[in-house]
Amino acid sequence: MPVILTLLAALISTGACAYHRSSLRTWAIATMLATLIVGLLAHAPWTTVILLIIEAAIAVPLLLVDFRRRQISAPLLKLFAKVTPKLSETEQTALEAGTVGFEGQLFSGKPDWHELLRQPKPELSVEEQAFLDGPTEELCAMIDDWQITHELADLPPDVWAFVKKHKFFGMIIPKQYGGLQFSALAHSAVLQKLSTISATLSSTVAVPNSLGPAELLLHYGSDEQKNHYLPRLAVGDEIPCFALTGPTAGSDATSIPDYGIVCKQTVDGVETLGIRLTFDKRYITLAPIATVIGLAFRMYDPEHLLGEKEDLGITLALLPRSTPGLQIGRRHFPLNVPFQNGPIHGKDVFAPMSVLIGGPQMAGHGWRMLVEVLSVGRAISLPSNATGAMRASAAATGAYARMRKQFGLAIARFEGVEEALARIGGLTYATAALSRATAAAVDRGEKPAVTSAIAKYHATEWARRIASDTMDVHGGKAVQLGPKNYAGRGWASVPIAITVEGANIMTRSLMIFGQGAIRCHPYVLKEMQSLSITDRGEQLKTFDRLLFSHLGFGISNAVRSFAMGLTGARIGETAGDAYTRRYYRKLDRYSATLALCADVFMGVLGGKLKFKEKLSARLGDVLSYLYIASSMLKRYEDTGRPDADRPLLAWGFHECMWLTQNALDGAIRNFPVRPVAWLLRILVFPLGRREVPPSDRLGRRVAALLTAPNEARSRLTEWVYLTPNANNTVGRMNALLPDVIAAEPVERKFQKAQKAGQFKAHDVADQYIEALQGGVINQAEFDLLKRVREGVAEFIAVDDFEPDELRSFTSRAEERKAAASQ
C-alpha cells in the first residue's frame, strides 16, 4: 500500500500539471515534492528514492536547454524534415490564404470561451434594416415563382430593373463607387429573405456579391479598373460572371487547361502586347447575360516578353462581352431552376494586357486571389441561401402540419411528423447560428477559409435533409407542381447548392480537416514553416521550442480527454450560466479529444493521412460540430438567453454531440494501426459512448414551437418573407395560423355535436349553419370556423392543368406567333 500511494501521488501530480498545462519546471518541482512528501508519510523510502531518480532523469535533460537541443531536438529535426511531405505550391497557397478565428480555439483542447463571448453581437445598421424592410420586401412582393420557373425561365423584366435600380448587385461595393457597402450580416440577411420566395432570385443576386469581378477588383484591381467597373457593377450597367470551371477541371481548379499565350498583335494599326486566350468553361452563373466576364486561365510567356519565366501560372482577367471571338449566350438549365447559367468558349481570343486584374504585375497570382476571395464569398452566399430556405421550411411545415388533418387530428400530433418537425426546428436553429457566426467573422475582418468550408458544407447538407422532411410532411401537396406548390422547387434545387463552390464530397473529405488540422493547430504549421529557416542555429532553436511545446500540448490533451471522459465532463471551471455550463464542459471535452486525435493521426500516419480521406472527413466532422455548437451558444447569449429558445438549443446541441461521438468512434474504429486505436479508445471513451441523440420528449417540445405563434418561432423565422399576398402562400398560411389554433376548441365542440347526430345535413358547410341555428356555436365561432375551413382548403389544394398548359410558355407563344403570321 505505501508503494501504491507513492506511485499514485506521482501520477496524480503529473496528471494535474498536464491537465492545467503547467510548465515543465512546475511539473518537475510539483511531482518530485508530491513523491517526496507522500513517500515519507507512507514510509516507503526505497520507492520514493527510485521514483525521484526516474523523475530527475526525465526532468534534468529536458530542463537543460542546450543539451536538449543537441541530443534530442537535432536528430528529431532531421527526421521531421525527412518525413514531412513537401507541400505543393497550390497547397501552400491554400494554407497561407485566409485567417484563423475561434476555430483555432477549438483545436487548442482548452478553448477560451471568453474570446468567443467577447465578440460583439452581430446587428444590422439602421440603413441595412431599412433596406431589408423596404426594397427587399418590395422585391419579394413582385415575385411570382411559378411565372419565373415555368413560363419565363427567367426573372421578369420589371424584376431585373428593380434589382438594378436598388443596387442589389452592389451590396459589397463601397459607397465611394456607388455601392451599398453593406456588412456581411446584411448581405446574408438579404439573401436569406430572397431565398424564401425564389431560389432563382436569390442565386441571381448572390453571384455578383460573391466570387466575381467586384470582389476581385476590390482586393486586387488597379485604380483605373476600380473606377471604371465598380460604379457600373453597382447599378447593374455591367452584369458580371466569373468563369472558372471547365469540362476537365471542376473542384481541381488548379488543373484548368485553359491557357493564354503572351504575344504581340496589331490592333487598329498599333502593335499591342496582350494574351491570346483559348478556353472552354461551363456552369457559369449569369454568363448568358453577362457584359463583363472574369476568366481564370494558365498564362505562358514562351517568347519571354514579360520576363524570364515561361509558365507564369494561373492568372485572372476581365473580358468585355464585345471581345472578338468570345462565344457566350447559350444557357444551361440547372434542375428546372432557371437562374441564368451557361457555357463560355473562346479560341485564340486576343485581349490586351490591360484586361489582367491588377495589371501585368498580378500575372500568375490568380490561385492566391481566388482562394482568398472564395473564402469570404463562400462564407455568405450558399450558407445564407440554405439558411433562408430552412427558415421558410420551418414556417411553412409547422403551419401546414397544424392545419392539415388526418383521422380527425392535426398531422402535427402524429409522432412520425413530430420527429420530422423536430429535425426541421433543431437543424434550422443550428444552421442559422452557423450562418450568423461566419458572417460575423467576415465583418470582423477575418477571411475564414476553414469555417467558410464548414458553413458551406453543413448548411447545404442540412438544407437537403430539411427539404426531404418538408416533402415528407407535405406529401402529395409538395409533389404536384404549380402556383400552389411552395416546396417542390426548393427540393429540386438542393443538389445545385451541394455541387457548386466546391462539391460537398470534396469539401468534407479534403478541405475542412485538411486545412483545419494545419491552419488551426497551434504548432503544426509553425513546425513545418521552421524547416524553411535558413539559419541552422535559429532553425534548431525554433524547432526545439515548438517541439516540446507540442509534446506538452499532446500530453495535456490526452490527460484532459481521459479525465473529462471519466467524469462525463461534469466538473471543471468554464463559461456559461447554470443552464449552459454543462454544454461548455462537453465542448471542452471534445475539443481536447479532437486535438489529441489530430496529433495522433498526423503523428502516426504522417503524409499518408492526406490520402485517408474518410478518416480526415470524420475528424473534419468533429471540428464542424464543435464550431456549430459554439455558434449556437453564442447566438443564445447574444439573444439574451431566452428560455423559449432552450428546446431548440438543446436539440441542436445534443444532435451535434451525438454526431461528434459517432465521428470520433468511426475514426478510431477505422484507424489502421490497431494498438494505437485501442489506446485512443481508452483515452477518448473511458466509460464507453455515452452521448445520445435528442430525446422524443425534447423533439415534441421543438415541434410544438413550430406549430404555434411564439417568440422562439418568430426568432427562428427571422428574415423569412411572410407578408401575406397573392403570390406568397406561406405568408398567408402564417397569417391564418392563430385562427387555426383558436378554432380548435370550437371544432371539438362542433365534432361532439356531430357525433351525437345533431345535424341532418351531410355537407360540412351546411352543418356549420345547423350548429349556429341550434346554439351549438355562436356567430363569432361560426365566422371563425368558416374562415379557417376556407383558408385551410386553399392551402391543402393542389394544381391541375389542361394538357396544353403544361407546354412551356415560350413554346405556346411561338405557336401563336406562327399561327398569326399565316
Side-chain angles (χ1 to χ4, degrees):
M1 182 59 75
V3 173
I4 293 174
L5 287 174
T6 308
L7 285 170
L8 280 175
L11 287 173
I12 291 171
S13 176
T14 297
C17 288
Y19 186 93
H20 293 289
R21 300 191 172 172
S22 304
S23 67
L24 179 62
R25 188 182 304 276
T26 301
W27 165 78
I29 295 171
T31 302
M32 294 177 80
L33 280 175
T35 302
L36 180 63
I37 293 170
V38 175
L40 292 175
L41 292 175
H43 303 292
W46 288 110
T47 302
T48 303
V49 170
I50 293 170
L51 284 176
L52 287 173
I53 291 173
I54 293 172
E55 290 162 1
I58 296 171
V60 171
L62 297 180
L63 289 170
L64 296 174
V65 178
D66 290 337
F67 175 84
R68 183 183 76 196
R69 287 176 184 163
R70 290 194 308 271
Q71 302 302 319
I72 302 175
S73 297
L76 289 176
L77 175 58
K78 292 179 182 178
L79 178 64
F80 181 71
K82 184 177 180 181
V83 302
T84 299
K86 183 173 178 59
L87 294 175
S88 67
E89 184 179 350
T90 298
E91 292 173 318
Q92 186 70 33
T93 299
L95 285 173
E96 292 175 356
T99 58
V100 176
F102 188 75
E103 66 274 17
Q105 288 289 333
L106 297 173
F107 246 104
S108 73
K110 191 180 179 182
D112 180 0
W113 297 111
H114 297 294
E115 178 182 319
L116 175 70
L117 299 178
R118 278 196 301 267
Q119 293 172 359
K121 175 184 176 181
E123 291 184 297
L124 299 177
S125 69
V126 173
E127 180 186 6
E128 292 166 344
Q129 186 64 55
F131 187 86
L132 199 65
D133 295 338
T136 307
E137 187 85 4
E138 292 176 50
L139 178 57
C140 289
M142 298 169 66
I143 298 302
D144 179 346
D145 201 49
W146 178 249
Q147 178 195 39
I148 291 169
T149 57
H150 182 70
E151 296 180 357
L152 301 180
D154 192 9
L155 299 176
D158 62 327
V159 171
W160 277 110
F162 189 92
V163 165
K164 294 175 181 180
K165 176 182 177 182
H166 292 277
K167 304 183 180 179
F168 279 86
F169 290 163
M171 287 190 284
I172 65 170
I173 296 176
K175 291 181 178 179
Q176 70 182 94
Y177 298 108
L180 296 174
Q181 197 174 340
F182 278 175
S183 65
L185 182 66
H187 178 187
S188 176
V190 171
L191 290 181
Q192 286 188 46
K193 178 165 270 194
L194 297 182
S195 69
T196 66
I197 195 69
S198 170
T200 303
L201 176 63
S202 62
S203 298
T204 300
V205 172
V207 168
N209 292 288
S210 180
L211 175 61
E215 187 80 32
L216 291 165
L217 285 168
L218 283 171
H219 288 85
Y220 310 107
S222 66
D223 288 340
E224 183 181 357
Q225 290 171 333
K226 291 178 182 177
N227 291 330
H228 175 74
Y229 280 114
L230 290 177
R232 298 171 62 80
L233 288 167
V235 296
D237 288 344
E238 298 276 12
I239 302 294
C241 72
F242 189 83
L244 176 62
T245 301
T248 60
S251 296
D252 184 15
T254 57
S255 298
I256 54 176
D258 313 285
Y259 61 90
I261 306 296
V262 179
C263 63
K264 291 182 179 179
Q265 180 170 311
T266 301
V267 179
D268 296 331
V270 178
E271 186 178 62
T272 304
L273 181 65
I275 321 110
R276 190 172 299 282
L277 296 157
T278 296
F279 49 89
D280 182 13
K281 304 290 189 178
R282 64 181 184 180
Y283 310 153
I284 311 306
T285 299
L286 295 185
I289 60 168
T291 61
V292 57
I293 295 89
L295 182 71
F297 62 95
R298 184 170 286 276
M299 187 167 170
Y300 297 94
D301 185 13
E303 298 180 30
H304 304 286
L305 297 175
L306 297 179
E308 294 301 317
K309 195 172 181 180
E310 185 169 324
D311 183 354
L312 296 173
I314 294 176
T315 303
L316 308 183
L318 286 181
L319 301 179
R321 188 186 183 97
S322 58
T323 302
L326 181 64
Q327 300 174 38
I328 189 172
R330 291 184 63 82
R331 291 183 65 178
H332 297 311
F333 196 28
L335 290 176
N336 210 20
V337 181
F339 58 91
Q340 294 284 339
N341 185 275
I344 301 176
H345 312 285
K347 183 171 176 60
D348 295 331
V349 175
F350 182 80
M353 295 296 290
S354 60
V355 302
L356 298 186
I357 297 177
Q361 64 269 25
M362 295 303 292
H365 294 282
W367 178 238
R368 177 180 295 277
M369 295 158 70
L370 287 173
V371 170
E372 290 181 347
V373 170
L374 181 61
S375 68
V376 175
R378 189 168 50 196
I380 306 299
S381 56
L382 289 169
S384 299
N385 285 348
T387 303
M390 293 171 74
R391 288 182 189 267
S393 290
T397 312
Y400 184 83
R402 191 69 179 257
M403 296 177 186
R404 184 75 165 107
K405 290 182 170 58
Q406 293 286 277
F407 308 104
L409 290 173
I411 61 173
R413 298 276 298 276
F414 293 94
E415 290 198 349
V417 173
E418 187 180 84
E419 186 177 27
L421 289 171
R423 251 192 321 269
I424 292 172
L427 293 182
T428 299
Y429 185 87
T431 307
L434 170 63
S435 180
R436 197 179 191 94
T438 35
V442 173
D443 282 332
R444 291 194 299 273
E446 296 178 23
K447 295 180 179 178
V450 176
T451 55
S452 67
I454 291 173
K456 190 271 175 181
Y457 174 79
H458 287 278
T460 55
E461 285 292 335
W462 281 350
R464 169 156 58 181
R465 182 67 183 274
I466 295 311
S468 178
D469 284 329
T470 300
M471 294 293 289
D472 286 351
V473 173
H474 283 79
K477 162 71 178 176
V479 171
Q480 305 301 331
L481 286 177
K484 295 183 176 70
N485 188 332
Y486 46 81
R489 298 293 189 196
W491 164 254
S493 68
V494 162
I496 300 171
I498 297 292
T499 303
V500 300
E501 291 194 20
N504 275 12
I505 288 177
M506 305 292 284
T507 300
R508 175 175 178 259
S509 59
L510 294 178
M511 293 182 62
I512 295 176
F513 184 76
Q515 289 191 23
I518 297 176
R519 286 199 56 79
C520 300
H521 194 288
Y523 301 108
V524 170
L525 183 58
K526 295 175 183 176
E527 288 167 341
M528 296 172 71
Q529 290 170 337
S530 72
L531 296 178
S532 62
I533 299 175
T534 54
D535 185 313
R536 302 299 295 176
E538 185 61 30
Q539 183 188 57
L540 180 59
K541 180 180 177 181
T542 301
F543 180 77
D544 172 80
R545 174 176 52 80
L546 292 170
L547 172 65
F548 283 94
S549 296
H550 193 163
L551 289 172
F553 174 78
I555 294 169
S556 173
N557 287 323
V559 171
R560 290 177 64 82
S561 179
F562 182 73
M564 287 188 279
L566 278 178
T567 62
R570 289 185 176 88
I571 60 173
E573 184 179 353
T574 191
D577 58 13
Y579 177 74
T580 58
R581 198 168 294 123
R582 54 186 170 148
Y583 295 157
Y584 287 102
R585 286 185 178 132
K586 278 186 181 289
L587 294 180
D588 284 337
R589 174 192 174 183
Y590 288 116
S591 171
T593 298
L594 171 63
L596 170 65
C597 289
D599 272 337
V600 171
F601 279 41
M602 288 189 289
V604 174
L605 298 180
K608 294 179 181 178
L609 180 58
K610 187 163 68 171
F611 304 103
K612 297 288 186 181
E613 295 173 19
K614 287 179 278 190
L615 294 180
S616 292
R618 292 183 179 106
L619 291 182
D621 288 343
V622 176
L623 175 60
S624 297
Y625 297 134
L626 295 182
Y627 181 74
I628 294 167
S630 304
S631 301
M632 285 191 285
L633 288 169
K634 179 65 166 68
R635 170 184 169 147
Y636 178 74
E637 295 287 345
D638 284 344
T639 51
R641 301 177 177 175
D643 290 349
D645 284 7
R646 286 184 178 181
L648 294 165
L649 171 64
W651 198 101
F653 188 89
H654 288 305
E655 179 75 1
C656 283
M657 294 304 98
W658 164 250
L659 294 172
T660 295
Q661 174 186 262
N662 292 346
L664 286 167
D665 175 62
I668 294 170
R669 185 160 26 89
N670 290 281
F671 192 71
V673 184
R674 298 313 299 156
V676 175
W678 299 333
L679 177 59
L680 269 178
R681 186 165 292 280
I682 292 170
L683 293 173
V684 173
F685 299 120
L687 298 180
R689 290 168 292 159
R690 308 296 292 271
E691 301 293 346
V692 295
S695 68
D696 292 348
R697 181 182 179 186
L698 179 58
R700 187 174 301 116
R701 295 174 63 196
V702 173
L705 290 177
L706 263 61
T707 56
N710 56 76
E711 58 172 300
R713 187 178 191 272
S714 296
R715 278 188 290 270
L716 191 67
T717 57
E718 183 185 27
W719 300 338
V720 176
Y721 178 62
L722 290 176
T723 303
N725 63 36
N727 294 329
N728 188 15
T729 305
V730 176
R732 299 199 309 278
M733 285 173 58
N734 197 68
L736 185 66
L737 184 57
D739 282 349
V740 171
I741 296 170
E744 287 175 348
V746 184
E747 287 178 339
R748 287 193 292 270
K749 185 164 56 173
F750 170 78
Q751 288 166 357
K752 183 177 179 181
Q754 190 181 46
K755 289 178 181 178
Q758 295 185 28
F759 310 130
K760 295 180 180 180
H762 296 289
D763 184 76
V764 174
D766 292 334
Q767 289 179 348
Y768 283 171
I769 296 173
E770 287 189 55
L772 176 61
Q773 293 171 344
V776 176
I777 57 175
N778 58 35
Q779 184 64 51
E781 291 171 331
F782 172 83
D783 293 340
L784 176 63
L785 287 178
K786 185 178 180 217
R787 185 166 64 251
V788 167
R789 182 172 180 271
E790 290 172 352
V792 170
E794 177 196 351
F795 299 140
I796 68 174
V798 298
D799 296 284
D800 53 74
F801 305 89
E802 292 290 342
D804 181 65
E805 292 181 277
L806 293 177
R807 288 186 296 153
S808 73
F809 181 84
T810 304
S811 171
R812 287 182 277 120
E814 291 293 331
E815 288 180 4
R816 287 194 296 270
K817 183 178 179 182
S821 66
Q822 294 174 0

